[in-house]
Amino acid sequence: MTTPPPSELRDCFGRDYHVGPAAELLTGRSRTWQLLLPLAAMAAAGVLQYSFGALVPALSALHGWSTTQTFWLLALWIVAQAGVGLPVAYLRERGVVGPVALVLAGAALCLTGPVALGHAPSYLGALLGFSLLGGAGAGLVYAVSASTVAKWFPDRSAVRVSLATGAFACGAVPFLLFVFPSVTTANLVPVLDGTGLALGLVIAAAGLFFRDPPSNWWPPHVDPRDWALSRRRGPGSANLPAVREYSPGEAVRDGALPALAVILFCASAVTLFTVAGFATFATGMALSAPVIGAATALLVAANGVARAVVLRVSDRIGRARTLAGALTVLALSQLALAASATDRSLPLLLTAAVLAGAGGACYPLVASLVREYFGDRRHGEIHAVVYSAKAFGGIAGVGLAALAVPTSGYPVLFLLAGGLALCSALLCLRLRQPGRIPLVWTTQRVR
C-alpha cells in the first residue's frame, strides 16, 4: 500500500505544494465539475464574439449604421474583452475577489451586450452597452474560467485550459446553425433579447458553483515530486519547464515576452479578421443564409476543436514548432479564401474555413509557452500581459480592416493577412526559452 505524501511539500527545484485534500472533500464534487462549469460559461460568453460577424448586415439595416461602423463595435468589444484580463489576474492571484462574484458580474454584463445592440437609442449607446460592458463581461468570464481550470488541474493545466478556450469558440455553433438562418431585420431585436437572456442565465448558473482550491493546491493522487522530475527529461525534451519562477516584471524585461506578444497580435489580427468578415464575404458570393451559417459554424467549430487538440500534437514536436505550423496553416487559409473569391467555389470556401479555424489554435499554444518560459506561479498575470495584444489585434483585424474593405476588397486583404500570418510563423522559429543556453554541436575532438 502506497503511503500518501505529506500535505506540505517542496520539490528539488524549490517549488512548494499543498497536497490535498481531495476535491470531493473541498467542494463535495470531483474536480471535473470545475472543468465542466467553466466550459459552459466560456461557451456562452463566446457567442458574443463568434456570432457577431454573421449579424452585421441585419444590425446595419436595423439601425442605419454603415458596415464599417458596425464592425467597429466588435473591434472595441475585443479591446474590452482582452483588456480586463490583467486586472482580473491581479485580483485573482491575491485573493481579493472570489470567482463567483466575478462570474456573476460577467453574466450580467454579457446579458447587457445583446440587449444594448437591439435597444440602444444611438450608436454611442451600443458602443457603451455592447462594446464596453458586454466586452468586459466576456473578459471576466474568460479570465476567471481559465484561471479556475488552471488552479484545479495544476498537473494538466495546459491541456485542460485549452479545452476551456476551445469552448469559447465552439459555443457559437448552435446559434449559427439554428438561429442565424431565420434572423431578419424584423425579428432581430427579440432574437438579441432572447440570446442575451440565455447567455446571462447559463453563465450565472455555472458561476454560482465556481470554487477555488487552497493556494498552491495539488491533487493527492499525484506525487508532485515525481511530477516535477518527470517534466525535467533533459535537453532532448520537446517542452522543458521554466528554469525558475519569473515575476511579471522580470518576464516583461525578457525578450521572449515581447516576441510572444507580437506573435499573438499578428495571429489574433488575422483570425479575428477572418471570423468577423467571413459571413459578409460569403454573402458576396450569393450564398443562402443557411449555407452561410453552416460555413461560419464550420470555421468556428474548427477553431474550437483545434484549440482543444493542438497541445497533444505539441507534446511530441514542441510548442514553438507547433505554433509556427498553426500560423502557416492560417496563412494558407487566407490564400484559399482569396482564391475562393475568384472561383466562387463553395468547396474551396469550406476548405478555407477549416484551415482558418485550425490556424486559430494559437491562443492555447501561446499560453503554454508563457507557462514553460516563465513558470507556473505567476502565469496568470504574465499571460494576461501577452493576451492584451489581442486588443490591438482586434483594432487592426476588425476595425482597420473594415475601413479598408470598401477600397481594397476582401481578396487583397486576405493576401495581406496571409503574409502577416507567415511572418509571425517565422518569428516563432526564433523563440528561445529564457535562462537556457542552446546546445551547440561540435565535431572537435576533446583532448
Side-chain angles (χ1 to χ4, degrees):
M1 181 176 180
T2 303
T3 303
S7 60
E8 297 292 341
L9 285 177
R10 174 174 292 181
D11 64 25
C12 58
F13 307 107
R15 178 171 171 173
D16 296 319
Y17 303 87
H18 183 98
V19 180
E24 289 82 356
L25 296 176
L26 291 170
T27 67
R29 299 179 178 87
S30 71
R31 62 175 178 161
T32 301
W33 278 90
Q34 297 303 322
L35 172 64
L36 297 178
L37 294 170
L39 285 176
M42 287 281 251
V47 174
L48 297 176
Q49 175 177 311
Y50 286 94
S51 64
F52 185 91
L55 299 177
V56 166
L59 283 169
S60 299
L62 176 68
H63 295 289
W65 301 328
S66 68
T67 300
T68 300
Q69 284 180 305
T70 308
F71 273 122
W72 268 104
L73 291 174
L74 177 60
L76 296 175
W77 183 96
I78 293 167
V79 171
Q81 186 264 330
V84 302
L86 185 56
V88 170
Y90 182 89
L91 295 174
R92 292 277 283 142
E93 291 299 325
R94 286 154 182 79
V96 177
V97 184
V100 175
L102 291 172
V103 175
L104 291 181
L109 294 175
C110 286
L111 186 156
T112 302
V115 174
L117 281 179
H119 295 277
S122 64
Y123 184 78
L124 179 60
L127 197 66
L128 294 174
F130 176 76
S131 301
L132 180 60
L133 298 180
L140 285 173
V141 175
Y142 190 104
V144 176
S145 296
S147 63
T148 298
V149 173
K151 288 174 183 291
W152 282 104
F153 292 88
D155 53 325
R156 290 177 287 173
S157 58
V159 173
R160 293 299 182 263
V161 172
S162 71
L163 290 175
T165 62
F168 188 70
C170 287
V173 171
F175 181 92
L176 293 167
L177 287 177
F178 305 114
V179 179
F180 165 70
S182 61
V183 170
T184 64
T185 305
N187 67 8
L188 179 58
V189 172
V191 166
L192 291 172
D193 291 344
T195 300
L197 181 61
L199 300 184
L201 289 176
V202 170
I203 295 170
L208 285 172
F209 299 98
F210 274 43
R211 297 292 183 272
D212 277 346
S215 179
N216 298 336
W217 180 83
W218 192 264
H221 64 279
V222 179
D223 191 321
R225 296 165 298 190
D226 293 341
W227 177 85
L229 287 172
S230 70
R231 298 179 74 197
R232 307 268 174 161
R233 292 188 294 267
S237 174
N239 304 293
L240 290 172
V243 296
R244 64 180 178 87
E245 298 292 333
Y246 286 73
S247 70
E250 291 173 325
V252 169
R253 290 189 293 271
D254 188 274
L257 188 139
L260 287 170
V262 171
I263 291 170
L264 188 63
F265 161 74
C266 297
S268 61
V270 177
T271 55
L272 292 170
F273 166 62
T274 307
V275 169
F278 185 84
T280 304
F281 169 69
T283 300
M285 296 176 63
L287 300 175
S288 65
V291 173
I292 293 172
T296 309
L298 182 63
L299 165 65
V300 171
N303 189 307
V305 172
R307 293 191 194 196
V309 303
V310 72
L311 288 182
R312 301 184 185 278
V313 177
S314 68
D315 283 339
R316 294 182 175 274
I317 66 174
R319 311 283 191 227
R321 288 182 180 178
T322 307
L323 180 58
L327 291 168
T328 302
V329 171
L330 185 61
L332 293 175
S333 74
Q334 303 304 297
L335 296 178
L337 286 168
S340 68
T342 302
D343 296 345
R344 293 185 174 272
S345 167
L346 180 59
L348 184 57
L349 179 69
L350 297 178
T351 301
V354 173
L355 292 175
C362 56
Y363 293 100
L365 287 168
V366 168
S368 295
L369 282 169
V370 170
R371 187 181 301 278
E372 290 172 3
Y373 283 8
F374 304 110
D376 298 277
R377 284 291 183 254
R378 307 294 292 277
H379 173 264
E381 293 171 87
I382 298 172
H383 177 249
V385 174
V386 177
Y387 188 74
S388 63
K390 180 185 175 183
F392 300 98
I395 292 175
V398 180
L400 297 181
L403 290 172
V405 166
T407 55
S408 300
Y410 275 108
V412 171
L413 294 180
F414 284 138
L415 293 176
L416 291 175
L420 187 62
L422 191 58
C423 289
S424 61
L426 294 174
L427 182 57
C428 292
L429 301 179
R430 300 182 63 85
L431 289 172
R432 295 293 181 269
Q433 189 177 40
R436 291 194 187 275
I437 300 175
L439 290 177
V440 178
W441 292 93
T442 179
T443 57
Q444 184 177 0
R445 180 177 297 177
V446 179
R447 299 183 182 275

